[in-house]
Amino acid sequence: MFLPGFRSDMTGDKATALAAFCASRGQAMLRFDYSGHGASGGRFEDGTIGIWAQDALTVLDRLTAGPVILVGSSMGGWLALVTALHRPERIAAIVGIAAAPDFTERLMWDAMTFEERARLTRDGILLIPSQYGEPTPITWVLIEEGRTHMLLEGPISLDCPVRLLHGQADPDVPWETALRTADRLTSRDVEIVLIKDGDHRLSRPRDLALLRRTLAALLTPDGGEALAEAGMEPA
């Protein structure tokens, strides 16, 4: 089950690459859009971390059965952790791609100037320039409600395998976030892969190959078979 990032959707390179990979091995996969994203209804500005987490839980409960691997990109990595905490019995493993837990506080609010904070609390919305297109509307509700879902200040009580892939050239989410997330997870089966020249999206062919290998290893106990299924030759 793929969880997209903030203002992203289920048609992105990572989601479609995973869909093709899963189809090639007869593995069921589910991808979806949060409310206010992609093909789903609603206004993006009305969304919050809690609303989008509930979207993920609803999709998990109604459209899947059995053990599920959650693959979350950026914000989707945060939502994957929140989803797993609510349904630990359903989650077989988690893969975070530039996972960004607590980003509304650490990467948005903490980065704002005094004037920007004042404008946001007064007007309820702030437009932030984005290198990916139109300015991003940040609402006060998003910041305030996000504080009820913070994870990095205490233990993240999950026991499933977790794999964290993060580019060290990520301009949006510091790669140290992966280290902090791993430290907070109670699971003993946590691995971090750092890609020295990797950006935030990690959508280059070699990044997608790494993602396929990571997922294949979680789906298949035998490492050699996992590499073959990912289109790789064992070393």
Side-chain angles (χ1 to χ4, degrees), residues 84-106:
L85 287 168
H86 281 85
R87 301 288 188 276
E89 73 284 357
R90 294 289 318 282
I91 307 307
I94 298 171
V95 178
I97 308 163
D102 302 5
F103 79 91
T104 52
E105 192 72 15
R106 296 174 177 272

Side-chain angles (χ1 to χ4, degrees), residues 14 72 95-99 163-179 191-214:
K14 294 183 287 292
V95 178
I97 308 163
R163 305 291 179 259
L164 300 171
L165 315 179
H166 213 118
Q168 288 187 281
D170 186 337
D172 300 312
V173 181
W175 60 268
E176 291 88 351
T177 303
L179 305 183
E191 296 178 8
I192 300 171
V193 178
L194 297 176
I195 304 92
K196 187 168 184 177
D197 64 345
D199 61 8
H200 182 62
R201 291 184 169 183
L202 290 180
S203 292
R204 300 169 300 180
R206 58 188 168 124
D207 299 326
L208 297 176
L210 170 63
L211 178 56
R212 289 192 294 269
R213 292 196 302 271
T214 302

Side-chain angles (χ1 to χ4, degrees), residues 3 28 40 43 50 54 64 78 80 106 109 135 145 148 150 161 171 188 199-200 216 218 220 222 229-231:
L3 291 81
S40 291
R43 294 195 324 139
Q54 186 57 56
T64 71
W78 184 4
R106 296 174 177 272
W109 180 256
E145 198 274 345
T148 66
M150 298 287 106
R188 299 187 64 82
D199 61 8
H200 182 62
L218 290 169
T220 312
D222 182 87
E229 290 185 354

Side-chain angles (χ1 to χ4, degrees), residues 23-179:
S24 72
R25 72 187 303 277
Q27 171 69 49
M29 179 192 168
L30 189 150
R31 50 193 173 120
F32 72 103
D33 288 333
Y34 314 114
S35 60
H37 289 70
S40 291
R43 294 195 324 139
F44 173 80
E45 293 85 345
D46 294 332
T48 63
I49 297 303
I51 287 173
W52 295 326
Q54 186 57 56
D55 290 344
L57 284 166
T58 299
V59 167
L60 178 73
D61 291 343
R62 296 185 182 180
L63 300 178
T64 71
V68 174
I69 295 176
L70 299 178
V71 181
S73 176
S74 192
M75 179 181 76
W78 184 4
L79 296 181
L81 294 170
V82 173
T83 299
L85 287 168
H86 281 85
R87 301 288 188 276
E89 73 284 357
R90 294 289 318 282
I91 307 307
I94 298 171
V95 178
I97 308 163
D102 302 5
F103 79 91
T104 52
E105 192 72 15
R106 296 174 177 272
L107 304 180
M108 288 183 172
W109 180 256
D110 287 352
M112 290 179 190
T113 64
F114 175 82
E115 291 76 14
E116 287 172 329
R117 292 181 180 182
R119 197 181 323 141
L120 178 60
T121 54
R122 181 189 69 233
D123 301 338
I125 192 166
L126 185 68
L127 295 178
I128 301 293
S130 171
Q131 62 177 316
Y132 303 113
E134 295 295 317
T136 302
I138 304 302
T139 66
W140 172 240
V141 173
L142 175 71
I143 299 295
E144 189 175 39
E145 198 274 345
R147 291 169 176 161
T148 66
H149 303 284
M150 298 287 106
L151 297 179
L152 297 181
E153 294 305 318
I156 304 174
S157 300
L158 294 171
D159 296 322
C160 63
V162 179
R163 305 291 179 259
L164 300 171
L165 315 179
H166 213 118
Q168 288 187 281
D170 186 337
D172 300 312
V173 181
W175 60 268
E176 291 88 351
T177 303
L179 305 183

